[in-house]
Amino acid sequence: MQTVMNLFRNNIREYGMIIALVFITGLFLILTDGITFKPLNLTNLILQNGFILVLAVGMVLVIITGNIDLSVGSVVAFVGAIAGVLMINNNVPVWLAIILSIFVGALIGVWQGFWIAYVGIPSFIVTLAGMLIFRGLTLYLLDGKSLAPFPDSFGQLSSGFLPNIGSGDFHLLSIVLSVLLSLVLIYLEYSKRKNQLQNNLEVLPLWITVTKLALLVFVINWFTYQLALNKGIPIVLLIVFALIVIYTFIMKNTVMGRYVYATGGNKKAADLSGIKTKRVVFWVFVNNGIIAALAGLMFAARLNSATPAAGNMLELDAIAAVFIGGASMAGGVGTVIGAIVGGLVMGVMNNGMSLIGIGIDWQQAIKGLVLLLAVGFDVFNKNRAGK
């Protein structure tokens, strides 16, 4: 039992938010008479919140460096407008329009990263200016009107599903992929434990490892089974999963990931140790521009139109997801998985409150309270650890 308590205490941010997610999900499961876990609702939950999870992946890197990006909502709208002008007004092929739109996102990241990293203007000011600039450019491009519809193939980016194998309504391919993922996770955990033992490192008791892995495998397969009862795995979920894998690997296993944490943890110490912190901050913003462009394409595909109001307040949802997921405003702390958990907390709350008929006014107030409590919980733990 003491081992379990130590494990929880050492990972209180991560496990605390997972417990909160389980509690909130269970609460809405009761309040909605089980509708929350219906296959159709789970699919809608993914489709409605996929672009927020994508934004959270990019935002967490920015916040780990001790910065913030208030412009991503406007970038979402601007990139959607670019895509609309290219595909709808000029009949540019979908694949080429997507590449050009992503390139525009990268250029936006270069623009903002330059002012922040090399000129030294605070990220709050630069991205606040960016929020106004790109919202204005969106209005200019669209002339205050919406562009629609996009080509059908583009819509698959946000509303498409993996093709099935065989016949019938049950999506067999989703189950096959879920089982394969479970086997990969079991193998990775086994390899990790084996390497730790070979190097005489401390490992968790076997029963804790097995229990944790069993719960994870159960959740993955149960969730995928529910999706298989509807239409299968959405393309949006594959995009989010790919980003989680890529960025978790980068942050945990690469030099660049260590540099990002070092820059946010203590910028002066990082400079003295030879890390080019300005370059790190610059590339983090370039990366966030690309991620925001991807989210903008997904959002436009979801609406099947480019509209001036697209992405409104999305930057706050992404920032809230990152902080709820355990990141620190001071920088140096945060994980991709934590940001995803925070995004899921927001998504489940939005979905559940809508299902039980809570108005948008109270939804905003409740989400603000949850954000305040999450950050207050983080501050409380820091103060307690510092005693």
Side-chain angles (χ1 to χ4, degrees):
M1 183 58 66
Q2 186 61 39
T3 303
V4 176
M5 293 303 296
N6 289 337
L7 177 65
F8 180 79
R9 192 178 297 109
N10 294 333
N11 299 275
I12 192 167
R13 281 192 182 92
E14 180 181 348
Y15 291 163
M17 286 304 104
I18 291 175
I19 291 171
L21 176 60
V22 171
F23 174 78
I24 291 170
T25 303
L27 177 63
F28 283 118
L29 176 65
I30 296 170
L31 294 177
T32 62
D33 295 324
I35 295 177
T36 300
F37 279 0
K38 295 291 184 182
L40 179 59
N41 188 64
L42 289 174
T43 300
N44 288 336
L45 185 64
I46 296 169
L47 297 179
Q48 292 167 2
N49 295 281
F51 42 84
I52 295 176
L53 298 180
V54 169
L55 285 174
V57 171
M59 187 66 72
V60 71
L61 270 67
V62 171
I63 289 175
I64 288 173
T65 61
N67 292 286
I68 200 164
D69 192 341
L70 300 176
S71 69
V72 291
S74 296
V75 174
V76 163
F78 182 61
V79 169
I82 292 287
V85 169
L86 290 174
M87 294 186 217
I88 299 172
N89 288 354
N90 295 286
N91 297 315
V92 174
V94 171
W95 65 269
L96 180 57
I98 289 175
I99 293 174
L100 292 174
S101 298
I102 295 292
F103 181 69
V104 168
L107 290 180
I108 291 172
V110 168
W111 166 260
Q112 298 195 134
F114 169 77
W115 289 105
I116 295 165
Y118 294 108
V119 179
I121 301 176
S123 58
F124 182 90
I125 301 300
V126 173
T127 58
L128 179 61
M131 180 174 69
L132 300 173
I133 291 169
F134 299 116
R135 185 64 66 178
L137 291 176
T138 301
L139 290 168
Y140 170 76
L141 278 178
L142 298 178
D143 196 23
K145 305 172 185 176
S146 295
L147 281 179
F150 280 101
D152 291 339
S153 58
F154 179 67
Q156 294 299 306
L157 182 65
S158 187
S159 58
F161 294 82
L162 278 182
N164 198 5
I165 54 177
S167 57
D169 295 332
F170 188 75
H171 203 275
L172 184 59
L173 179 59
S174 296
I175 299 300
V176 172
L177 293 177
S178 177
V179 172
L180 289 176
L181 176 60
S182 300
L183 293 175
V184 169
L185 290 175
I186 292 171
Y187 172 76
L188 291 175
E189 189 64 35
Y190 168 78
S191 299
K192 177 184 176 182
R193 185 179 181 85
K194 182 180 178 182
N195 289 334
Q196 288 175 333
L197 289 172
Q198 287 177 346
N199 290 282
N200 297 318
L201 299 175
E202 184 180 357
V203 296
L204 293 172
L206 183 60
W207 71 270
I208 293 181
T209 300
V210 172
T211 302
K212 184 174 70 172
L213 193 58
L215 287 173
L216 180 60
V217 168
F218 171 77
V219 170
I220 289 172
N221 284 275
W222 177 86
F223 183 74
T224 308
Y225 175 76
Q226 297 301 316
L227 295 180
L229 291 174
N230 188 28
K231 296 179 182 179
I233 298 176
I235 301 298
V236 169
L237 183 58
L238 291 180
I239 294 173
V240 173
F241 178 75
L243 291 176
I244 292 172
V245 171
I246 293 169
Y247 282 92
T248 298
F249 177 81
I250 290 173
M251 296 304 288
K252 285 188 173 182
N253 300 284
T254 68
V255 173
M256 183 60 184
R258 296 297 95 193
Y259 284 178
V260 171
Y261 279 112
T263 299
N266 191 322
K267 189 174 183 297
K268 290 183 178 179
D271 282 325
L272 291 173
S273 67
I275 297 174
K276 294 180 173 57
T277 56
K278 291 182 179 180
R279 183 182 299 176
V280 171
V281 171
F282 174 79
W283 283 110
V284 163
F285 274 92
V286 173
N287 173 78
N288 202 42
I290 294 171
I291 293 292
L294 175 60
L297 292 171
M298 294 169 64
F299 194 87
R302 173 75 177 164
L303 295 179
N304 196 28
S305 68
T307 173
N312 189 33
M313 301 292 285
L314 281 186
E315 62 277 349
L316 300 186
D317 284 336
I319 292 169
V322 173
F323 286 131
I324 290 173
S328 171
M329 190 66 205
V333 176
T335 63
V336 174
I337 296 296
I340 294 297
V341 171
L344 290 175
V345 168
M346 298 289 288
V348 170
M349 287 178 56
N350 287 335
N351 180 261
M353 289 189 292
S354 297
L355 288 175
I356 62 178
I358 295 178
I360 189 67
D361 47 358
W362 280 108
Q363 287 189 32
Q364 296 293 334
I366 292 171
K367 286 192 294 183
L369 181 61
V370 169
L371 174 60
L372 181 62
L373 290 174
V375 177
F377 178 69
D378 178 59
V379 172
F380 171 76
N381 286 319
K382 280 184 178 178
N383 292 337
R384 188 176 64 174
K387 290 181 179 179

